[in-house]
Amino acid sequence: IELPPPTHKTRRALAEVLPEFALLGNPLDYGNALWGQEEPLRRVFETALRDPVDAIVLVIDYPLPGAAYTADVDNAVDALAGAAAAAAVPAAVASILPESLPLHARQRMLARGVAPLQGLDEAVVALAGCVRLGERIRAGLPPFLAPVVPPPKDALPLSEWAAKELLADLGVAVPDGRLVAPNDAPEAAAALGFPVVAKLLSPDLPHKAAAGAVALGLRDEAEVAAAVAAFVGDHPRLAIEGVLLEQLVEGAVCELLVGARHDPAFGHVLVVGSGGSLVELFSDVCPLLLPTSDKEVEVALRRLRVWPRLRTGDVRAAVDCVSALARLVESSGERLAEFEVNPLLVLERGAVAVDALGRMRRAGAGPA
């Protein structure tokens, strides 16, 4: 929220309708000389509204019940309502204390088209919400959030291979890879081209790195064979889906996390933040309500502490990847429980999702 000072022309005009001790700024303090005088106050407010503004707010508190100057406050509110209506500018009254805007006053304001805002801190939050609503409308987004859809109770884990197929369909870059049986891994790695990354895929092993089921920078068939043998030996009872081999992605300037979580109040919420193996330590995240826009995504990325590093890479590619995940969440509707990309490697040119997981109801299944 910005409080622009009056222009020089408006300051001169205000000086003509206000006593000399009034403070000609924004906020405008018109002093006690005009207290309770509706018509002079209306001229003051109309003069202030000659400058282009989005809203006008009168900060004033009503007295305790029975106090003599209730009518004076009513006159100030009426002056505000008349000036705002003439200028076609939204108007609000904000009390400093929430309890200083009684019911009869609120009803009176609403009848005049003035928004009663109880408490100055709460008023600022409410006005900021109006700003964000206006930004959504100008960006062509639905002004109101979609109805909250509960997550499916029968969602099943997505393998990394399946999760990346979804991402690739949305245009998100993923490493060139192969899903093969353990015995075929060395030959498949050679065909893919070294260096490679090897990962053991299992529905019972969502966090592969923590379980020691990821090997990075393997440079020949012997290293691949040794890594796969270690995977299988360390996890003898796992139901193994296969070994995922991918080309190693190097040269990242920043690692991001992009995830979709379900919130009981808002439904699916998109989260962007610092990614990588130390994500829990940094707690550098920013939430985004859906639907969102590229502009809102970039604003969220700029709020992260990792932004100074991120800005040296391909920010446009990072924004595109986050927006693609937002589209995935929106298109999946009731089927999606959660989805996460960690890390999303941001390069000098491009961005690559090198790990992904999620839980989703299989296609064709009915509501949970």
Side-chain angles (χ1 to χ4, degrees):
I1 296 177
E2 297 179 2
L3 302 180
T7 62
H8 182 66
K9 181 179 180 180
T10 299
R11 283 178 65 90
R12 290 202 314 267
L14 285 170
E16 294 175 0
V17 295
L18 282 168
E20 62 180 11
F21 53 81
L23 300 180
L24 305 182
N26 189 5
L28 170 68
D29 186 353
Y30 54 81
N32 291 335
L34 302 181
W35 180 254
Q37 302 179 49
E38 181 178 343
E39 285 307 315
L41 283 177
R42 174 168 175 160
R43 287 195 294 273
V44 170
F45 298 151
E46 288 177 340
T47 302
L49 287 173
R50 292 178 185 177
D51 289 340
V53 295
D54 296 310
I56 182 170
V57 181
L58 173 64
V59 181
I60 199 166
D61 283 66
Y62 273 79
L64 292 173
Y69 66 88
T70 296
D72 295 333
V73 181
D74 285 340
N75 288 341
V77 173
D78 289 344
L80 173 79
V89 171
V93 170
S95 61
I96 296 175
L97 301 175
E99 60 270 25
S100 296
L101 210 56
L103 177 61
H104 70 85
R106 301 197 302 270
Q107 292 173 334
R108 195 168 183 276
M109 292 173 196
L110 291 170
R112 296 295 308 271
V114 176
L117 304 176
Q118 295 178 254
L120 197 53
D121 290 347
E122 292 82 356
V124 173
V125 171
L127 291 167
C130 292
V131 172
R132 290 192 294 272
L133 177 60
E135 289 174 345
R136 291 180 64 85
I137 293 173
R138 285 191 295 274
L141 296 171
F144 302 106
L145 300 176
V148 174
V149 177
K153 297 179 181 179
D154 57 347
L156 300 174
L158 285 174
S159 71
E160 182 177 343
W161 178 260
K164 285 180 174 175
E165 284 185 323
L166 290 175
L167 292 174
D169 289 342
L170 290 167
V172 176
V174 298
D176 190 12
R178 308 284 189 274
L179 179 61
V180 298
N183 291 339
D184 298 331
E187 183 179 350
L192 191 61
F194 296 104
V196 299
V197 176
K199 305 177 183 180
L200 184 66
L201 296 195
S202 169
D204 303 319
L205 199 66
H207 301 290
K208 300 178 288 296
V214 177
L216 305 176
L218 304 177
R219 300 190 176 277
D220 56 42
E221 294 185 41
E223 289 187 3
V224 172
V228 171
F231 293 164
V232 176
D234 292 341
H235 305 89
R237 294 182 176 83
L238 281 184
I240 296 175
E241 182 180 351
V243 173
L244 176 60
L245 298 165
E246 294 180 327
Q247 288 187 333
L248 181 66
V249 179
E250 298 179 293
V253 300
C254 180
E255 296 185 6
L256 294 178
L257 174 146
V258 188
R261 305 281 188 274
H262 191 277
D263 182 274
F266 297 103
H268 281 107
V269 176
L270 207 62
V271 176
V272 296
S274 300
S277 59
L278 302 179
V279 61
E280 290 84 1
L281 289 180
F282 294 118
S283 298
D284 181 24
V285 297
C286 184
L288 283 163
L289 296 181
L290 298 173
T292 188
S293 66
D294 287 359
K295 179 180 177 181
E296 290 177 313
V297 169
E298 183 169 345
V299 168
L301 293 175
R302 288 175 178 269
R303 290 176 179 163
L304 300 177
R305 294 197 300 273
V306 78
W307 170 251
R309 290 183 60 85
L310 174 58
R311 66 185 298 183
T312 65
D314 194 337
V315 176
R316 180 70 258 171
V319 170
D320 289 343
C321 290
V322 177
S323 296
L325 184 54
R327 293 195 302 273
L328 172 64
V329 176
E330 293 169 25
S331 64
S332 299
E334 300 178 355
R335 294 177 52 221
L336 183 71
E338 60 181 340
F339 201 95
E340 181 177 289
V341 175
N342 183 29
L344 174 70
L345 298 185
V346 182
L347 314 176
E348 291 184 0
R349 288 193 176 184
V352 183
V354 297
D355 199 357
L357 55 85
R359 291 191 304 115
M360 181 180 289
R361 181 193 302 144
R362 66 183 182 277

